[in-house]
Amino acid sequence: MKYRTIGMIGLSLLLLMGCGEKKESAPKAPTRVQTELVSTEASGDGQTYVGVVEENAATAVSFTGMGVVRRVLVTEGQMVSRGQLLAEMDDTQARNLLSGAEAQMTQANDALKRYSMLHDNGSLPEVQWVEIQSKVAQAKSQLEVAKKNLSDCRLVAPVSGLIGHKQVGAGETALPSQAVVTILDISKVKVKVSIPETEMGMIHAHTPSSVAVKAIQKKVNGGMIEKGVQADALTHTYDIRIHVANPDRRLLPGMVATVTLGQTHSPAYTRQVTLPVTSVQKSADGTFFVWVVANDSTVHRAKVTTGHTSGNRIAVTSGVAQGERVVTEGYQKLSEGTKVIF
């Protein structure tokens, strides 16, 4: 009985020691999200959308024949003028063909000169005279083709503009109609915006517009508007393109722009905070909130009061301050205190 009691006491001590040990769990990896810094922007009677800058026109420049590229004389982002040499192809074969064509031309002209005296004296049959003239015309045609082939070994700019993309380098084989470089006309640009079908009726060719590009801290007034006529099957939106002057060529294709359509010059404009509509969530009690990222990269709910919706953005009248960072995408897996990376 004594030994049994001692054994039970030992077992109890082992269980207590086991319960006292705490297993260390591996730290949970931060959740990746996309965020936006809260900032104020002008707002008024206009509708606000997000657009993308596009070039006014793009010209793909290519050789007309196949051959090895000897050198490319331009780089991406370089401004070029019409007629400027862009690239050269190995012209050895073209020069040989030109030499042969010149020799045939010389031979044909010599024959024409010698037989012309016989023709003038009436001692040369007319059929033979016509044949000699045909050989001269044929040699002349071949000479012109050979000269054109040699000239085509030099690729010159058909228009002035900015080199957008270089697709073939020195030592590579260029194929007929394969673009070597693309020249972009950005003396003026177009800003493409997707507009919901329910709002297309309010937009016409001369609707006032304002375009703000944060990448270069520039805001300009838009010009004429091109309206698309084919809707996206999934989003039911139509693309419009706003013409924008770009004399300093600072607006580049691909830049994101904030576009305001409507009364962009209204004196009643105020400064307000706007956020993407999808970043504002609704609680079970009916109130609205956003996820705010703290200095230690953890997220916390911030109750907000919302205003009117403009395009894909919504006005936030209270709850967040300028300079705070708000989660805009990836909020589905968040909870209070979750650590995030962005």
Side-chain angles (χ1 to χ4, degrees):
M1 188 68 160
K2 178 180 179 180
Y3 292 111
R4 183 178 178 185
T5 303
I6 294 173
M8 293 180 64
I9 293 173
L11 181 59
S12 299
L13 290 173
L14 288 174
L15 290 173
L16 288 172
M17 291 174 64
C19 292
E21 294 179 357
K22 294 183 179 179
K23 294 183 179 180
E24 294 183 0
S25 58
K28 188 177 180 181
T31 303
R32 181 171 293 277
V33 296
Q34 292 188 21
T35 63
E36 179 179 311
L37 282 175
V38 176
S39 61
T40 59
E41 61 182 24
S43 65
D45 300 329
Q47 296 283 349
T48 303
Y49 308 87
V50 175
V52 178
V53 177
E54 294 182 342
E55 68 276 1
N56 181 52
T59 304
V61 188
S62 60
F63 289 105
T64 57
M66 184 176 70
V68 177
V69 177
R70 185 165 62 187
R71 58 176 183 163
V72 179
L73 304 174
V74 293
T75 58
E76 293 183 0
Q78 178 181 340
M79 287 298 303
V80 296
S81 303
R82 180 178 180 180
Q84 181 175 336
L85 181 63
L86 304 177
E88 287 182 328
M89 186 186 293
D90 184 8
D91 60 0
T92 303
Q93 184 178 1
R95 288 187 180 279
N96 291 337
L97 291 175
L98 178 60
S99 297
E102 289 175 340
Q104 289 183 358
M105 187 75 251
T106 301
Q107 184 180 6
N109 284 332
D110 182 65
L112 180 65
K113 183 177 180 181
R114 286 186 289 104
Y115 282 103
S116 62
M117 297 178 61
L118 296 177
H119 178 264
D120 293 342
N121 294 332
S123 56
L124 184 70
E126 191 65 26
V127 174
Q128 191 173 355
W129 175 244
V130 171
E131 182 180 352
I132 293 171
Q133 288 182 315
S134 297
K135 288 183 178 180
V136 172
Q138 184 178 4
K140 184 177 181 181
S141 176
Q142 292 177 347
L143 179 61
E144 293 299 323
V145 171
K147 287 181 178 180
K148 181 67 166 56
N149 288 338
L150 181 60
S151 174
D152 287 344
C153 291
R154 291 166 51 88
L155 188 65
V156 297
V159 294
S160 299
L162 183 77
I163 299 296
H165 186 47
K166 185 172 70 173
Q167 297 172 291
V168 178
E172 297 180 357
T173 300
L175 301 176
S177 301
Q178 176 191 10
V180 177
V181 295
T182 303
I183 301 178
L184 307 178
D185 175 15
I186 60 170
S187 57
K188 62 179 179 179
V189 295
K190 299 176 183 178
V191 179
K192 185 178 80 169
V193 183
S194 295
I195 305 295
E197 60 181 7
T198 55
E199 300 174 17
M200 280 293 288
M202 299 181 293
I203 300 172
H204 53 79
H206 301 289
T207 297
S209 62
S210 174
V211 178
V213 180
K214 286 188 177 181
I216 58 174
Q217 297 297 314
K218 184 174 183 178
K219 186 174 183 180
V220 295
N221 293 325
M224 188 187 72
I225 297 177
E226 298 176 8
K227 293 177 63 175
V229 295
Q230 188 170 359
D232 185 283
L234 296 177
T235 62
H236 295 281
T237 58
Y238 290 81
D239 288 340
I240 67 168
R241 286 174 170 82
I242 305 170
H243 290 236
V244 178
N246 189 31
D248 56 2
R249 292 179 170 82
R250 293 182 62 202
L251 292 172
L252 299 177
M255 287 184 172
V256 177
T258 300
V259 177
T260 303
L261 294 172
Q263 301 299 323
T264 59
H265 302 289
S266 171
Y269 266 24
T270 59
R271 306 293 297 184
Q272 68 175 11
V273 171
T274 66
L275 292 172
V277 172
T278 54
S279 66
V280 180
Q281 307 298 306
K282 191 174 184 178
S283 302
D285 60 1
T287 60
F288 294 99
F289 70 93
V290 296
W291 291 107
V292 176
V293 182
N295 292 334
D296 60 356
S297 296
T298 59
V299 296
H300 305 278
R301 287 193 180 198
K303 185 178 178 181
V304 296
T305 304
T306 60
H308 70 277
T309 301
S310 178
N312 55 6
R313 298 184 72 84
I314 186 170
V316 177
T317 56
S318 67
V320 291
Q322 186 170 352
E324 289 186 312
R325 188 173 292 276
V326 173
V327 176
T328 57
E329 292 186 25
Y331 46 79
Q332 294 86 349
K333 298 181 180 180
L334 299 181
S335 58
E336 189 70 22
T338 300
K339 201 169 188 66
V340 297
I341 56 175
F342 47 88

